[in-house]
Amino acid sequence: NAGVTQTPKFRVLKTGQSMTLLCAQDMNHEYMYWYRQDPGMGLRLIHYSVGEGTTAKGEVPDGYNVSRLKKQNFLLGLESAAPSQTSVYFCASSYTIWRGTYNEQFFGPGTRLTVL
Amino acid sequence: AQKVTQAQTEISVVEKEDVTLDCVYETRDTTYYLFWYKQPPSGELVFLIRRNSFDEQNEISGRYSWNFQKSTSSFNFTITASQVVDSAVYFCALGFQGAQKLVFGQGTRLTINP
């Protein structure tokens, strides 16, 4: 199993450009997440999905959109990139809550995005 | 509000020393989960442990141990006889009932010097 994979690994954008980050998981997980990691701020949740066709906002959703058309894929879009979106982006996935157990999230390797 | 605080931004010790990473959380929920993740220099996040709010037993896994104290809202992580391979950023995280989401602390960068 590949686990959680992210494409691309690195990207440099100019202000105003758009791009899509792809996350894929082969563990049949229901839940998927997008985080950003900035120095001194830990990981902050951008958007998440509790199942195919559903998405919800996290802590820092502004400037991002997401889609979950297939269970195994979760796309993060930047319509008009800004320098403030320079960050490392992590995708994660997890099983649903089962019998009250809160399952751990499995993370992808990250995408380093620089917006000039 | 849910919040996790890791007050130690950076820790540096010499190999074989014991080191404790602090984690303090805030939540009004009675049911919640606490996690520790490791982020080595390669960048990926590795799950280390999950603990629910009803289980205050300490846990030991090899050189790693965790001390959960609800009275002080803390979930501290101790590495015994540290090794250079333990050098990483460590994150504490809180999961709360009703939402399969995690709130992360700021992380502690641990450097083990040979």
Side-chain angles (χ1 to χ4, degrees):
Chain A
N1 286 352
V4 180
T5 58
Q6 293 182 230
T7 309
K9 288 185 170 54
F10 303 93
R11 186 71 185 267
V12 178
L13 290 179
K14 293 181 180 179
T15 297
Q17 287 185 319
S18 63
M19 77 163 294
T20 300
L21 282 67
L22 171 63
C23 175
Q25 53 94 5
D26 61 1
M27 296 175 282
N28 202 35
H29 286 169
E30 288 292 334
Y31 291 10
M32 296 187 74
Y33 313 81
W34 276 107
Y35 293 90
R36 59 178 290 172
Q37 182 180 13
D38 302 294
M41 303 188 75
L43 279 80
R44 293 181 294 168
L45 183 65
I46 305 171
H47 286 281
Y48 66 102
S49 168
V50 299
E52 182 178 326
T54 72
T55 62
K57 293 180 180 180
E59 181 185 354
V60 288
D62 294 342
Y64 305 95
N65 56 75
V66 289
S67 64
R68 183 105 181 264
L69 299 179
K70 293 183 178 180
K71 185 177 182 179
Q72 63 269 31
N73 295 338
F74 194 29
L75 279 64
L76 177 71
L78 286 74
E79 289 188 350
S80 180
S84 60
Q85 294 178 303
T86 293
S87 187
V88 180
Y89 291 86
F90 285 97
C91 177
S93 69
S94 69
Y95 289 111
T96 54
I97 296 174
W98 180 70
R99 293 186 182 178
T101 296
Y102 198 115
N103 296 292
E104 67 270 26
Q105 295 180 13
F106 294 82
F107 284 82
T111 295
R112 186 173 295 276
L113 174 66
T114 301
V115 183
L116 302 175
Chain B
Q2 328 287 347
K3 185 179 179 181
V4 176
T5 301
Q6 296 179 253
Q8 304 152 308
T9 304
E10 294 191 28
I11 300 174
S12 181
V13 300
V14 177
E15 200 172 17
K16 298 184 182 178
E17 287 186 12
D18 299 347
V19 58
T20 295
L21 309 181
D22 298 333
C23 172
V24 174
Y25 62 92
E26 296 177 28
T27 180
R28 293 184 178 179
D29 289 357
T30 55
T31 301
Y32 53 89
Y33 292 79
L34 295 163
F35 299 78
W36 276 95
Y37 282 86
K38 174 182 180 180
Q39 186 178 40
S42 54
E44 76 278 16
L45 279 97
V46 179
F47 166 74
L48 295 178
I49 189 171
R50 173 187 59 219
R51 174 69 59 189
N52 73 56
S53 54
F54 299 108
D55 183 1
E56 286 193 72
Q57 282 191 341
N58 291 335
E59 179 144 347
I60 298 175
S61 176
R63 297 183 296 106
Y64 294 174
S65 63
W66 290 269
N67 180 257
F68 177 29
Q69 291 195 339
K70 291 178 73 171
S71 61
T72 56
S73 297
S74 64
F75 187 44
N76 296 338
F77 173 31
T78 297
I79 301 175
T80 303
S82 59
Q83 299 177 3
V84 173
V85 294
D86 295 326
S87 296
V89 180
Y90 290 86
F91 291 98
C92 180
L94 169 68
F96 43 97
Q97 195 170 27
Q100 183 84 341
K101 299 186 290 184
L102 291 179
V103 174
F104 283 83
Q106 303 93 319
T108 297
R109 181 177 299 277
L110 176 64
T111 302
I112 310 297
N113 300 297

